[in-house]
Amino acid sequence: MIEYRIEADTAGMRLDKHLRKRLPNVPVSHLFKMIRTKKVRVNGKRAQPEQLLSEGDVLTIRGDEQQLVGAERPKVDPPPPPVDPSRLVILREDDWLMAVDKPSGMAVHTGSGITGGTLVDYVRAYLGPKAVRNDFAASPAHRLDRETSGVILVAKRRPAMVHFTEVFTHGLSRKRYLTLVKGKMPRDSGVIDLPLSEHQQTAESKARRGVNMQAAVTRWKVVKQSSEAALLSCAIETGRTHQIRRHLAAIGHPVAGDKKYGDFAFNRDVRARWGLKRLFLHAERIEFPHPEGGAKVAVEAPLAVELRDVLKRAALVP
């Protein structure tokens, strides 16, 4: 029989996933059978595959320990990602989290043809051996578009990731963005309450139940205005994909430099006159409760130099 307590860095993990890591030589089908037949118990009670483990839980696994654990597999460390971690701009770091100033053009994760040079690569190269802690690898806690710059949070421990999942799911954080948009805004501030179609809905899902619309709310405020463009401060109450870009385009004030939802003639003009070569969208500030104790934390990322230069040429410096 195997019996042990769940440590803090394992808390928040599903039982079935924990067992796969703890007993890598046991077939998954057999692990589920052990759970069904009550050979796996948590705090002496019948366990469920999907239940989340908590710190201090006592996990009991009935069976021959030598057969269950078996010969340990040799650990092979993955090759370090080919990135220079000194390029990483860290705004805040402690034992639980990192707040990083992500540059425009850096993807957060691999995917869609992106195989390396991601924020994940830089973070794990910077942390080195400390990137993995009790089978949890440091990971971004939320999304930021590839072309958007600014502050993004990274969870260094599993309990921190569990905490941030709750924070962002239940709207317990505040995010503020700076963006340059086309045209003169009709007033000093406003709210865009406009549902957006689910960005990653499959064609099969659309055919079966129609387009899935999701609630989305963006609050904007004019920081500086000219006859041609406006510098806005935006706060989002929901976290839909490309929300700010889609919302501002919908009301006729697309984000400067936006190749997907923007005004292409306006983009060409601001590139030629003001030197804007990227999307003008910057995650300036985030407020959130800290994973340890819940104290409010605020982190800010300064506006990138190339965007400040654009504002000077456009006479829109706040």
Side-chain angles (χ1 to χ4, degrees):
M1 185 176 74
I2 303 173
E3 185 173 284
Y4 56 92
R5 287 187 180 275
I6 298 301
E7 298 178 355
D9 287 328
T10 304
M13 194 175 192
R14 282 175 54 124
L15 173 65
D16 53 352
K17 291 185 178 180
H18 172 69
L19 290 175
R20 290 182 206 177
K21 290 184 176 293
R22 182 81 181 197
L23 306 173
N25 296 320
V26 179
V28 174
S29 59
H30 187 62
L31 289 176
F32 278 93
K33 182 179 179 180
M34 291 172 65
I35 297 173
R36 288 198 309 272
T37 56
K38 305 179 185 179
K39 291 183 178 179
V40 178
R41 291 179 175 269
V42 178
N43 299 325
K45 299 179 181 178
R46 182 175 184 174
Q48 298 297 328
E50 71 279 3
Q51 79 180 76
L52 300 180
L53 298 172
S54 300
E55 182 181 1
D57 282 348
V58 177
L59 189 62
T60 305
I61 306 171
R62 297 189 179 278
D64 184 271
E65 182 174 357
Q66 188 172 358
Q67 289 183 354
L68 290 171
V69 176
E72 287 199 18
R73 296 178 180 177
K75 291 186 177 181
V76 179
D77 293 330
V83 295
D84 179 5
S86 66
R87 288 186 54 199
L88 200 64
V89 179
I90 301 170
L91 303 168
R92 178 191 173 104
E93 182 180 10
D94 57 36
D95 192 45
W96 292 79
L97 64 92
M98 294 170 60
V100 177
D101 188 357
K102 186 188 83 65
S104 176
M106 179 185 288
V108 175
H109 299 279
T110 56
S112 302
I114 302 166
T115 57
T118 65
L119 179 72
V120 170
D121 292 332
Y122 279 93
V123 165
R124 293 178 183 172
Y126 165 79
L127 292 173
K130 296 180 180 179
V132 179
R133 187 166 176 171
N134 284 353
D135 295 322
F136 175 78
S139 303
H142 56 107
R143 300 191 306 266
L144 207 57
D145 295 344
R146 181 177 184 178
E147 299 306 319
T148 302
S149 59
V151 62
I152 184 168
L153 301 180
V154 174
K156 295 171 65 176
R157 304 170 59 182
R158 189 183 309 280
M161 181 61 82
V162 173
H163 170 80
F164 284 130
T165 299
E166 289 292 312
V167 165
F168 293 119
T169 299
H170 298 292
L172 302 178
S173 68
R174 292 184 180 181
K175 300 177 184 177
R176 189 175 73 206
Y177 296 77
L178 280 177
T179 185
L180 183 68
V181 301
K182 176 186 176 182
K184 187 174 178 63
M185 303 304 291
R187 52 190 179 276
D188 291 338
S189 62
V191 179
I192 307 171
D193 188 347
L194 178 67
L196 297 171
S197 59
E198 184 181 344
H199 194 68
Q200 295 181 324
Q201 188 180 10
T202 63
E204 180 184 353
S205 174
K206 290 179 182 179
R208 187 175 67 254
R209 61 191 180 97
V211 176
N212 181 33
M213 303 301 290
Q214 299 176 309
V217 178
T218 302
R219 298 183 179 275
W220 58 266
K221 182 179 180 180
V222 175
V223 178
K224 191 80 171 181
Q225 176 76 68
S226 73
S227 59
E228 300 174 280
L231 178 65
L232 304 182
S233 174
C234 295
I236 56 175
E237 294 185 7
T238 49
R240 308 307 178 196
T241 301
H242 301 164
Q243 177 175 318
I244 292 176
R245 296 160 62 185
R246 294 163 77 187
H247 265 173
L248 289 170
I251 65 170
H253 297 280
V255 175
D258 191 339
K259 297 177 182 178
K260 187 175 181 68
Y261 307 102
D263 183 307
F264 303 119
F266 177 68
N267 288 345
R268 285 197 302 268
D269 187 43
V270 297
R271 182 184 180 95
R273 294 172 56 207
W274 301 337
L276 180 62
K277 300 177 182 178
R278 50 158 286 195
L279 177 75
F280 201 121
L281 183 60
H282 179 73
E284 180 188 34
R285 179 184 172 92
I286 185 168
E287 295 181 18
F288 58 93
H290 194 277
E292 184 181 34
K296 188 172 79 170
V297 177
V299 182
E300 294 189 6
L303 196 63
V305 173
E306 68 266 23
L307 297 186
R308 293 204 302 266
D309 289 342
V310 168
L311 294 181
K312 290 177 184 177
R313 297 186 192 105
L316 284 169
V317 176

